[in-house]
Amino acid sequence: MDKLIPKIGLEIHLELKTESKMFCSCPNDPDEVHPNLNICEICTGQPGVLPTLNKRALEYAIKLAKALNCKINEFNYFARKNYFYPDLPKNYQISQYELPLAENGYLEFYLKEEYKKVRIRRVHLEEDTAKIIHENNYSLIDFNRAGIPLLEIVTEPDLKSAEEAKAFVEELILLIRYLGISDANPEKGEIRFEANVSVNFGEKLGTKVEIKNLGSIRSLRDSIAYEIKRQTELIEKGKEVIQETRGFDETKRITFSQRRKEMAEDYRYFPEPDLPPIILDQEFINTISLPELPFQKRKRLKDEYNLSFKEVNVLVENRELAEFFEETFSEIKAFDENFDIKILVNILINDLLGFLEKYQKKLSDLDFTPIQLANLLIKLKNQEINIRMVKDILEEVVRENKNVDLLLKESSLVSNEKLDELIERVISANEKAVEDYKKGKESALQFLIGALMRETKGKINIQLAKELLIQALKKND
Ligand code: ZN
Ligand code: MN
């Protein structure tokens, strides 16, 4: 007997980061706190007005469609999706239906280290609705959001678990940020999710349940996990799964029934008469170029630098750091063909990134350059400074945006002659420890090195200092 397998498809709404709204010149400003400021006759649905398509929104949509490997329909058009709701001033949403902008794409990603591929059914253009704010015993409407450019992205039901859905959405958000078309911040409602979940034996699709209005990746994951469990239990008990729309209770972390299939809305779609069809040609589509995408970057970084999966991911998720890494490495290689790349990667991922997080800074806030880091690491390799100093310098650089060269001047290692002199001093000042060491107590050596570190404020090559100290102790016999 076949196993029960969940199949999950996603519907994603994405607000585009354009200057103006989709069909009028009102500012698209998600941070506007004064309600109903960025509105006009068009986005509030006054009679007799005509919409005009935002060219930038179209370009952004094509960008994403290309990045999702979709086929772009050179002829496509808008449709009216009719329904009555207070957040929809025209009583219809301008959307796309029979012929969307783009279809039949896919997105590749990894769940942990496992390769996955999800097919994209369609990407279409539409407009956002207004926001309803429910207060105690009344509701308020803010039309600032009405008419903001939206993309709807629909996947095929290729996802098989809640964790896969989460990883897919994280990769999609990363891709969108690489493209610069939206910040795709779920907390700000810039990206919103709906999930179709069905469970059935083998590859057959089961009865589809739609979970609406998921405002965070965590809710997306938890609602899917709950729904899989609920449907599996029903099927195992021989009960029927009902086709319906469910909501997700953020507090109880469970889905609940909202609307049965027989009450599904009929949107009476028809072609939008106020907007001409979108006619694209290949030449125009070709002018819209893509940056290196996360999936490509992951592969290239791995192949070019032989990094671990985890290291590559940190860099891919942090584009600024990745760029800094590549530039620094090429600087170092100009000096030293055999430099150990792991030293650079560790310094960047463990130390620099840690300091940036600790002090809430971005790399671009600093005057620090790849040449400066390369210089530091070459000095480290030449034993002019030690790793402790590199870390201290980096922390100062991040915290105070201090000049590296000045910091370096203050912190070169003490010279060998000076080190010999200091060792003599430490030996004569710590008779007890010296005696202990001669009796075979190893910890006494550590104590003496500690004393040496204090004398020099840590500016010694510890390995060298240890050797010199042992030699001096023998001589002292
Ligand atoms: Zn407007
Ligand atoms: Mn939609």
Side-chain angles (χ1 to χ4, degrees), residues 226-239:
Y226 179 83
E227 200 46 37
I228 290 173
K229 189 166 164 277
R230 188 185 71 89
Q231 292 184 28
T232 304
E233 283 171 8
L234 281 174
I235 294 167
E236 281 172 348
K237 283 182 200 151
K239 288 186 182 163

Side-chain angles (χ1 to χ4, degrees), residues 300-453:
R300 185 178 61 79
L301 289 180
K302 186 177 182 306
D303 292 350
E304 234 175 276
Y305 304 102
N306 192 26
L307 303 177
S308 74
F309 184 81
K310 194 173 156 257
E311 290 163 345
V312 165
N313 264 340
V314 173
L315 293 175
V316 169
E317 277 160 26
N318 206 314
R319 246 202 307 183
E320 230 180 26
L321 194 72
E323 220 168 275
F324 206 90
F325 158 73
E326 294 204 75
E327 282 178 36
T328 306
F329 190 60
S330 92
E331 289 294 337
I332 296 177
K333 276 196 59 182
F335 282 96
D336 181 356
E337 274 286 318
N338 304 316
F339 189 84
D340 181 3
I341 197 163
K342 293 284 168 201
I343 295 173
L344 171 61
V345 174
N346 280 334
I347 287 276
L348 285 176
I349 291 180
N350 298 330
D351 301 303
L352 188 58
L353 195 58
F355 294 138
L356 289 167
E357 275 162 16
K358 180 172 171 191
Y359 298 109
Q360 295 283 303
K361 297 251 176 96
K362 282 190 296 197
L363 208 42
S364 53
D365 296 336
L366 310 174
D367 298 322
F368 192 46
T369 64
I371 296 181
Q372 290 173 326
L373 180 58
N375 191 18
L376 271 182
L377 295 182
I378 289 163
K379 283 189 187 311
L380 174 68
K381 191 171 175 191
N382 295 341
Q383 302 196 347
E384 290 167 54
I385 51 177
N386 62 26
I387 188 73
R388 185 66 257 155
M389 289 172 181
V390 173
K391 291 179 185 196
D392 288 347
I393 287 173
L394 286 180
E395 181 156 12
E396 285 294 284
V397 163
V398 174
R399 195 176 53 163
E400 307 277 354
N401 196 14
K402 273 200 183 158
N403 182 285
V404 186
D405 299 320
L406 283 180
L407 289 169
L408 260 174
K409 256 183 214 143
E410 292 164 15
S411 63
S412 52
L413 289 175
V414 299
S415 66
N416 284 359
E417 298 87 68
K418 179 91 180 159
L419 190 57
D420 285 335
E421 195 187 308
L422 287 169
I423 286 173
E424 286 309 323
R425 200 194 299 169
V426 163
I427 286 176
S428 51
N430 294 285
E431 279 175 29
K432 170 97 173 54
V434 172
E435 261 173 52
D436 286 348
Y437 175 73
K438 286 175 182 164
K439 281 181 202 151
K441 217 172 152 190
E442 274 300 309
S443 62
L445 187 63
Q446 279 312 316
F447 175 85
L448 291 170
I449 288 168
L452 206 49
M453 291 284 279

Side-chain angles (χ1 to χ4, degrees), residues 21 24-26 38-40 42-43:
K21 290 189 182 179
C24 62
S25 53
C26 290
N38 297 327
I39 58 170
C40 72
I42 295 172
C43 56

